[in-house]
Amino acid sequence: MRLSSPTWKPLRPTRNGSGLLFLALLLPALATAQEPVEPPSAYQQEEERPGPGLDTEMDAEGAQAEALERADTAGLSRRAGAQIEEIVVQARKRDEFLEDTPVSVTALGPETLIAAGVTRIDQIQNLVPNLSIVGDPSGQLGSFIVRGVTNFPFVFFDQGVGVYVDGVFFSRNAGNLLNVVDVAQIEVLRGPQGTLFGKNTVGGAVSVTTVQPREELEAYAFVRAGSFNTIDTRATLNVPIGIGPLEDELFLRLSFGSFQDGGYTKNEFREEYASDRGSLSFLGSLRWVPTEDLNVVINGSYEKSHSRGPGGQCVWVQSVATSIFLPDGYREECEASQPFRYASDVHSVSDLESSGVWGIFEWQAGDLWALEDLAVKLTSSWRTQTPRTRSDWDMTSFPVFTQAQFGGGPTDGEPGFQQQIQQELQLNGTALDGRLTYVGGVFGFWEKAEQDTSLVVFPGTPVEALGTSRGMVDTDNWNWALYGQATADVTDWLSVTGGLRYTQEKKGLERVLLEPLNADPLVVDVSNDETFAAWSPMASIAAQAPDVWLDAMTLDHLMGYFTYARGFRGGGFNGNARSEQSAVPFQPEFVDSFEVGLKTIGFDRKLNMNLSVFYANRSDMQVPQIVTESCPPNDPDCLPSADVLITNAASANTRGFEWELLTRPIEGLQLSGSVGYTRARYDEFANAENAITGDPLDRSGEQIPFFPEWQTHVALQYSFEVRSPGPDWLAGWITPRVDWTFESTTINFAPELTPLTQPSYNLVDVRLSYDFADDSNQIAFWARNLSDTAYFKDTFALQTPIIGSAVRYYAAPRAFGVELSRRF
């Protein structure tokens, strides 16, 4: 962000990466001499994802043959299938070529993730059009926003974009900011995915696929160091277990990741750094292949993060404070706060433990009566999360606002706990000599969550107890669904798809709010449950251009499609309610989406281009808004309160497009880019409130917050050979890369909170990598945010009606580093 005052200049942290010397000392260990190889179009940890079937490795001839066979099955011309890169997605829960899938989807493989420096999943937002990922004051919860479908990190509020790992649904924000460890592919699906992925995908879905254990002994090691004392490491070991009768049947894969840095914002009051990262990740997989038709994989994961959370800049919003208890000098200190230098009296903490086990059973059953190539897949999972947080909501040295879910004291609340169990049985196959392809299944999901939040206003002062509250929320939910979707090839060039899902869910909530010094200390004590049900249909038509058209346009493949899809976000109860009258249910939100798209491969497979245009209607829109409860007249001891309540108060429409391009015009040169545009406006929102004063306000026609209208990304890289005058092992390929990202203005919370509006900004990242000729070693130098742009990645304003200020949390300033990786 560029601030309007020309005389203001933010202070920058000067802590440099001490790990750079450590990495330089490792360089001589990069090994063995080999002959020069072709330029590295993909230096990555793993081979490309396999296609249908159980084999995870094959030689080049076998892979090409399979690509040709699958191209015919998918509807691509044989000519196109032989030439395009094998990018396989599971956007429709079956393996298909990306360019033949009538869904707006971006697929990010290991090559792209490494080149873009992605170590945590929220860093992909610059690579995907019409995707934003925002955090919260704890720094551990991520809200994924696609095509303007916004989210809030509440345990009782369903997300609008589903996050999945190997088909396992991550229903809550806690634990969804995944470290990128041993990832085969990340797919971002835009638009409602309610038929195949279920509720809470009104905006889209993010599907992460991990690497399955493979048949060969192999290993991978990665070390990255840089500014702010950054040291990131990743290591993977793949071992075939040849024990007696299990030889060639049992395979083990273990992965580890450590991500550490010292933080880039300084709390000058406590003389400590925040906005740091300390995270450990473990992923283990055991794969058993007793026959060529059976594949069983058991996965286990554990992640633990510990940090001080994000440091933020206090910004003054109101001209006059609403609280008579606000200490003298508070406003002056708030206005003196800077993006990377602040003063806070709170020892902030952000901890999260997340673990899970999931199993995948796949059986290639073959032909059964009229069904062909029948495949059965069973996914079972169990996951838990334990968050512990303590945050300063005012970000000043004055004792004003402290929020905690930590434990250890009467004002610290207790750590949260969340648990989810999932079962899904899925059938895949074909019929009518391959002209009908289908997928169907049954889905079941159970979840519980406990949250105990202590909110202390003016701690350490004589009026502390007036604002001290203890809010407890327990949720107990389940849902089940039946779904089916089928694609019929009407002709060789035309296919139609139809699908339907029925979902039933039960939401249960218990809410207890204690305020000890009130006349009635037990302010809220309610227990509610309600059952919701919905149908989620979809239909699409896709047409392949004939060869005559392709020849005339110098294209290898051209597909056009039209898709209608309906999705819904589950209903629930207001777990933030500060009165029993507010703890009322809100109903499900529905989205009807219409999308037209083109997917193209052209110029002898030198260019891939995808375009989608969409329009969506949102009804019964769930709107979280700040609601202020004013004090009675002549009550000087009253402390006004503010709730964030969710109501079905609005309807809206969104329209826009995504355009993505990948081209390799000459050997070694690659240009990729994307443009996303989303115009999201409220159609009707008459019963809103001013986020500062609480006065009635009509927001009809306003832009939906937390999402920019325009997002652009361009990446340019060129690989050229470097011959060694000395040892052969020094020969290799050098690849410079430049990434440019643009985002237009983003309104956060509400337009009247003008200090929270993020102006448009540009980012530039650079990377210079060297791939040794053995094709196993790489060294790279990188710089993030080269222009040192100051922009904030999150904001917070729930305290604004009470104390008149808000908080801006800035993204990291310019940083440099180096990384080494080796495959064994």
Side-chain angles (χ1 to χ4, degrees):
M1 186 195 88
R2 299 196 181 280
L3 299 187
S4 57
S5 172
T7 61
W8 183 91
K9 185 175 181 179
L11 296 175
R12 300 294 190 198
T14 58
R15 308 169 74 202
N16 295 319
S18 60
L20 298 179
L21 178 61
F22 167 73
L23 285 182
L25 294 175
L26 288 179
L27 181 58
L30 295 174
T32 62
Q34 291 198 16
E35 293 298 318
V37 295
E38 294 182 357
S41 60
Y43 183 90
Q44 57 192 42
Q45 176 177 343
E46 294 300 328
E47 302 297 328
E48 292 182 0
R49 280 187 60 214
L54 300 177
D55 293 337
T56 58
E57 289 188 290
M58 60 184 69
D59 57 25
E61 183 178 354
Q64 183 67 23
E66 181 181 345
L68 289 171
E69 179 181 353
R70 288 163 54 205
D72 287 338
T73 302
L76 291 173
S77 67
R78 178 172 294 271
R79 163 179 155 189
Q83 293 180 342
I84 65 171
E85 286 192 352
E86 190 176 351
I87 302 175
V88 180
V89 297
Q90 288 191 326
R92 298 197 290 179
K93 293 204 171 183
R94 61 176 186 261
D95 286 340
E96 298 177 287
F97 283 119
L98 172 64
E99 297 300 314
D100 199 47
T101 305
V103 176
S104 181
V105 54
T106 298
L108 305 173
E111 173 199 0
T112 301
L113 298 174
I114 290 175
V118 174
T119 59
R120 200 171 72 170
I121 193 171
D122 55 333
Q123 295 170 333
I124 70 172
Q125 73 169 15
N126 291 342
L127 306 175
V128 181
N130 285 338
L131 169 68
S132 286
I133 306 172
V134 298
D136 77 313
S138 73
Q140 65 179 213
L141 307 179
S143 294
F144 291 74
I145 304 172
V146 174
R147 291 182 175 178
V149 177
T150 55
N151 300 293
F152 268 65
F154 299 141
V155 72
F156 55 85
F157 182 50
D158 287 345
Q159 301 307 295
V161 176
V163 178
Y164 299 81
V165 176
D166 294 333
V168 176
F169 178 41
F170 283 41
S171 60
R172 299 295 147 197
N173 301 80
N176 69 356
L177 290 181
L178 302 164
N179 293 325
V180 177
V181 176
D182 212 21
V183 169
Q185 189 159 283
I186 300 175
E187 298 175 23
V188 180
L189 288 63
R190 292 176 289 269
Q193 307 295 322
T195 300
L196 293 181
F197 288 87
K199 73 184 189 77
N200 303 342
T201 57
V202 287
V206 178
S207 178
V208 179
T209 305
T210 63
V211 180
Q212 291 189 1
R214 301 163 65 88
E215 286 79 1
E216 301 296 329
L217 177 65
E218 57 189 25
Y220 175 79
F222 172 93
V223 182
R224 186 173 190 258
S227 303
F228 317 120
N229 294 328
T230 296
I231 293 287
D232 298 337
T233 62
R234 293 200 300 263
T236 297
L237 177 64
N238 192 99
V239 181
I241 303 176
I243 303 176
L246 295 178
E247 187 173 0
D248 299 327
E249 293 184 5
L250 197 62
F251 312 95
L252 176 67
R253 190 177 186 90
L254 301 173
S255 298
F256 164 81
S258 172
F259 307 90
Q260 311 289 329
D261 68 60
Y264 57 85
T265 62
K266 186 177 182 181
N267 183 350
E268 296 184 323
F269 184 80
R270 295 183 56 88
E271 288 296 323
E272 60 189 17
Y273 279 85
S275 303
D276 57 327
R277 185 179 180 190
S279 182
L280 298 176
S281 296
F282 298 90
L283 176 64
S285 300
L286 184 66
R287 177 171 172 243
W288 180 41
V289 190
T291 71
E292 63 179 10
D293 297 326
L294 290 177
N295 186 60
V296 181
V297 181
I298 305 296
N299 303 281
S301 71
Y302 175 80
E303 287 195 7
K304 182 175 183 178
S305 62
H306 173 75
S307 75
R308 297 187 184 92
Q313 178 191 19
C314 179
V315 291
W316 191 255
V317 176
Q318 299 193 101
S319 59
V320 179
T322 59
S323 173
I324 64 172
F325 303 116
L326 204 63
D328 293 337
Y330 174 79
R331 175 175 177 175
E332 289 74 15
E333 180 175 309
C334 179
E335 292 179 328
S337 179
Q338 297 189 22
F340 303 98
R341 296 288 190 273
Y342 67 100
S344 171
D345 62 314
V346 177
H347 175 58
S348 58
V349 177
S350 178
D351 292 355
L352 176 66
E353 287 188 66
S354 177
S355 60
V357 177
W358 64 100
I360 303 172
F361 173 89
E362 295 176 290
W363 175 38
Q364 305 294 322
D367 297 342
L368 180 64
W369 298 301
L371 305 180
E372 306 158 4
D373 301 321
L374 178 65
V376 180
K377 181 178 181 180
L378 175 65
T379 301
S380 301
S381 73
W382 171 89
R383 296 184 65 251
T384 66
Q385 305 86 42
T386 304
R388 301 168 71 240
T389 66
R390 187 190 294 125
S391 306
D392 187 356
W393 279 13
D394 57 276
M395 282 292 165
T396 70
S397 63
F398 291 93
V400 176
F401 251 116
T402 301
Q403 182 268 353
Q405 301 169 28
F406 192 80
T411 62
D412 265 341
E414 293 296 333
F417 177 78
Q418 302 177 22
Q419 177 179 287
Q420 304 89 31
I421 299 173
Q422 175 183 322
Q423 296 285 332
E424 182 174 10
L425 177 64
Q426 177 183 308
L427 301 178
N428 252 305
T430 62
L432 303 177
D433 295 326
R435 301 192 70 85
L436 180 70
T437 304
Y438 62 86
V439 58
V442 58
F443 176 87
F445 191 82
W446 300 261
E447 66 173 342
K448 297 184 70 174
E450 300 172 2
Q451 181 175 288
D452 182 355
T453 304
S454 171
L455 184 61
V456 185
V457 182
F458 307 119
T461 70
V463 296
E464 173 180 336
L466 291 175
T468 300
S469 65
R470 186 89 173 267
M472 288 154 277
V473 178
D474 288 353
T475 64
D476 188 355
N477 309 326
W478 56 256
N479 76 83
W480 68 273
L482 288 172
Y483 64 90
Q485 183 170 302
T487 300
D489 293 332
V490 180
T491 68
D492 291 339
W493 57 273
L494 182 67
S495 65
V496 294
T497 300
L500 185 64
R501 186 186 191 105
Y502 175 76
T503 301
Q504 187 179 76
E505 64 168 347
K506 190 273 288 184
K507 292 291 183 68
L509 180 137
E510 295 182 7
R511 167 66 168 169
V512 176
L513 176 63
L514 300 173
E515 293 184 346
L517 289 193
N518 276 356
D520 183 0
L522 186 61
V523 180
V524 180
D525 185 6
V526 296
S527 178
N528 289 315
D529 66 80
E530 189 161 335
T531 301
F532 308 95
W535 294 90
S536 303
M538 68 80 56
S540 72
I541 183 169
Q544 310 277 350
D547 286 344
V548 175
W549 291 14
L550 298 178
D551 291 337
M553 295 183 288
T554 322
L555 297 178
D556 306 300
H557 169 67
L558 174 63
M559 182 194 74
Y561 68 89
F562 167 79
T563 297
Y564 161 78
R566 164 169 271 216
F568 81 100
R569 187 199 323 238
F573 298 89
N574 277 293
N576 277 347
R578 302 187 68 85
S579 67
E580 294 192 1
Q581 293 74 23
S582 300
V584 295
F586 50 88
Q587 299 302 309
E589 171 186 342
F590 293 89
V591 174
D592 291 288
S593 174
F594 306 86
E595 181 176 313
V596 177
L598 291 174
K599 297 197 172 186
T600 303
I601 304 170
F603 303 102
D604 196 21
R605 206 203 62 190
K606 293 180 179 179
L607 180 143
N608 289 13
M609 186 172 66
N610 300 330
L611 173 66
S612 57
V613 180
F614 63 89
Y615 175 83
N617 278 320
R618 300 172 65 180
S619 57
D620 293 323
M621 185 175 172
Q622 297 172 358
V623 182
Q625 60 176 318
I626 301 173
V627 178
T628 305
E629 294 184 5
S630 59
C631 290
N634 304 319
D635 185 358
D637 294 328
C638 171
L639 188 68
S641 64
D643 297 349
V644 177
L645 299 181
I646 299 170
T647 59
N648 301 98
S651 62
N653 71 80
T654 60
R655 64 193 71 183
F657 68 88
E658 294 103 15
W659 177 80
E660 296 180 280
L661 172 73
L662 171 64
T663 180
R664 297 187 179 100
I666 60 175
E667 183 178 1
L669 178 63
Q670 175 177 298
L671 173 65
S672 60
S674 64
V675 177
Y677 171 73
T678 297
R679 185 186 184 276
R681 297 286 189 274
Y682 293 115
D683 287 335
E684 296 181 3
F685 192 3
N687 298 319
E689 289 191 12
N690 187 294
I692 300 176
T693 65
D695 296 333
L697 183 65
D698 186 350
R699 296 196 184 277
S700 302
E702 284 188 7
Q703 180 178 336
I704 296 175
F706 299 104
F707 198 82
E709 285 196 347
W710 289 94
Q711 293 173 300
T712 303
H713 175 255
V714 176
L716 178 66
Q717 67 181 53
Y718 180 66
S719 299
F720 54 92
E721 186 176 9
V722 177
R723 299 187 179 275
S724 171
D728 291 341
W729 67 270
L730 285 176
W733 291 85
I734 190 168
T735 305
R737 176 186 170 101
V738 179
D739 286 74
W740 168 68
T741 302
F742 168 79
E743 283 202 3
S744 63
T745 301
T746 301
I747 294 173
N748 292 299
F749 285 95
E752 59 266 24
L753 297 170
T754 52
L756 301 189
T757 295
Q758 168 66 64
S760 61
Y761 64 90
N762 295 272
L763 297 177
V764 177
D765 301 336
V766 297
R767 188 173 189 266
L768 181 66
S769 61
Y770 190 82
D771 295 90
F772 289 81
D774 60 8
D775 200 28
S776 295
N777 300 293
Q778 185 190 75
I779 181 172
F781 299 91
W782 53 267
R784 303 295 300 270
N785 191 5
L786 192 63
S787 59
D788 205 22
T789 299
Y791 67 102
F792 39 91
K793 62 179 181 179
D794 190 23
T795 57
F796 190 70
L798 303 191
Q799 77 283 24
T800 298
I802 301 176
I803 60 175
S805 64
V807 178
R808 302 191 296 212
Y809 300 95
Y810 280 76
R814 180 167 47 220
F816 302 92
V818 60
E819 61 190 41
L820 298 174
S821 56
R822 175 170 173 78
R823 290 182 291 175
F824 300 88

